């Protein structure tokens, strides 16, 4: 998926093997920029809601649709430094 600087982009991820309503787990968004280590952006939990790393608040939003088991990451006003491979992962809900 490609976006240009200044544009907004929404990435989706359909989870399997668990339900987004299962409070034992959270869905996480992680990215890896070229030549850099993995970076945790944030996650979303059924009871606790979305939680972003403070450095991304205002630029990114995490939402979900339980009925389709889909998690979304919206990036507003893309920057060159947002160039990365983006992953979703299952994390602990605790």
């Amino acid at each position: 998926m490609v976006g240009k600087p200044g544009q907004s982009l929404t990435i989706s991820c359909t989870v399997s093997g668990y339900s987004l309503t299962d409070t034992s787990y959270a869905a996480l968004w992680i990215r890896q920029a070229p030549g850099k280590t993995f970076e945790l952006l944030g996650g979303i939990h059924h009871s606790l809601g979305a939680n972003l790393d403070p450095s991304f608040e205002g630029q990114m939003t995490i939402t979900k649709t339980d009925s389709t088991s889909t998690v979304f990451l919206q990036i507003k006003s893309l920057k060159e430094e947002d160039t990365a491979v983006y992953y979703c992962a299952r994390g602990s809900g605790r």
Side-chain angles (χ1 to χ4, degrees), residues 29 31 39 41-42 52-53 55-62 73-76 78 81-82 86:
W29 281 103
R31 73 181 180 186
E39 184 174 33
L41 307 176
L52 278 168
D53 183 286
S55 59
F56 302 114
E57 285 187 15
Q59 191 206 359
M60 297 183 185
T61 306
I62 298 174
L73 175 69
Q74 182 186 25
I75 308 172
K76 303 163 195 155
L78 283 166
E81 54 262 39
D82 294 319
Y86 287 76

Side-chain angles (χ1 to χ4, degrees), residues 15-33:
V15 308
S16 61
Y18 73 106
S19 169
L20 291 174
T21 61
D22 187 338
T23 56
S24 297
Y25 303 109
L28 308 177
W29 281 103
I30 299 162
R31 73 181 180 186
Q32 186 176 30

